[in-house]
Amino acid sequence: MPTITGQMIHVGVGDKASGDTAVYWLRGQADELLYVGMSRNPMNRWSWHADTHVWWPKVVAFEVRWFGSREAAAEAELKAIKDGAALHNVHSTPRHGEITGAGVRRSLERQRAEAASR
């Protein structure tokens, strides 16, 4: 398995009370931007990406920047997605609405959870 390197500007998990939220950039071997995301716990989110996205094994580097509010992080994420042409972002791109394997899995998981709760 390849080593993933990068920098985390503010190590840790976001403080939900204060709204700390991170934006993260995931890059491939040739420094291509694979994905931009937002989370209060990026490492936990990356675990989900690893389980659901076929592009995850291509990630070799990351950058994480923390913001004092979810709103500020969302604004930075949207700008990064539009400016960086991330290869695997769908939301907030011309690909929005495209059916993806991860989207199908999420939909099935929701349907199963709803059926189990009845």
Side-chain angles (χ1 to χ4, degrees):
M1 176 173 240
T3 301
I4 298 175
T5 62
Q7 64 178 14
M8 191 172 295
I9 306 302
H10 161 80
V11 179
V13 176
D15 178 353
K16 289 185 181 179
S18 72
D20 286 356
T21 304
V23 174
Y24 55 89
W25 290 256
L26 303 174
R27 297 189 176 277
Q29 188 68 39
D31 200 39
E32 70 276 22
L33 183 59
L34 298 173
Y35 190 82
V36 177
M38 176 178 80
S39 176
R40 285 198 172 116
N41 187 340
M43 295 178 86
N44 185 55
R45 182 72 169 156
W46 297 344
S47 176
W48 180 82
H49 286 313
D51 289 343
T52 59
H53 294 293
V54 297
W55 51 261
W56 178 257
K58 295 178 182 177
V59 175
V60 298
F62 66 87
E63 180 179 346
V64 176
R65 292 184 193 159
W66 288 88
F67 295 84
S69 72
R70 187 157 185 81
E71 293 77 18
E75 187 176 314
E77 178 196 34
L78 182 60
K79 182 178 181 340
I81 289 170
K82 292 187 182 230
D83 291 352
L87 297 172
H88 298 289
N89 281 88
V90 175
H91 185 71
S92 301
T93 73
R95 295 177 56 204
H96 188 80
E98 181 178 302
I99 297 173
T100 63
V104 170
R105 280 189 293 278
R106 278 193 305 275
S107 178
L108 288 172
E109 288 169 6
R110 266 194 306 273
Q111 290 173 15
R112 287 183 186 130
E114 289 171 5
S117 67
R118 292 182 199 151

